[in-house]
Amino acid sequence: MAEITDKDSKLLTCKMKLAFKDVYKLDFSKLIWLDGSLWRLNKISDFNVTKTETVNVELIKVINRIY
């Protein structure tokens, strides 16, 4: 909750190519290292199980790892 309400919070929306096995092994508690910053997975939308194509992914920047 602190990451959402903080004045320095950032939300990144991007497109990623995910296969079924990527989503099957997905863990929302693990952090993602992207471009020199830590991000937390918030949402995946438009995922199709039958096709490997790009999906919309929403990430929230990790501000503080200790609360």
Side-chain angles (χ1 to χ4, degrees), residues 1 8 10 12 14-15 18 24-25 28-29 35 43-44 46 48 54-58 60:
M1 190 59 136
D8 296 323
K10 303 242 186 278
L12 174 68
C14 58
K15 291 195 174 270
L18 299 176
Y24 179 75
K25 294 180 180 181
F28 278 82
S29 66
D35 199 28
K43 180 172 69 170
I44 295 176
D46 302 331
N48 187 351
T54 58
V55 295
N56 292 327
V57 177
E58 191 174 280
I60 298 175

Side-chain angles (χ1 to χ4, degrees), residues 18-28 44 47 49 55:
L18 299 176
F20 176 74
K21 68 178 184 174
D22 297 327
V23 176
Y24 179 75
K25 294 180 180 181
L26 194 64
D27 186 359
F28 278 82
I44 295 176
F47 179 72
V49 179
V55 295

Side-chain angles (χ1 to χ4, degrees), residues 1-4 6 40 60-67:
M1 190 59 136
E3 292 168 345
I4 297 171
D6 191 271
R40 184 179 316 277
I60 298 175
K61 187 172 182 180
V62 175
I63 297 170
N64 190 357
R65 293 187 65 188
I66 301 170
Y67 294 102

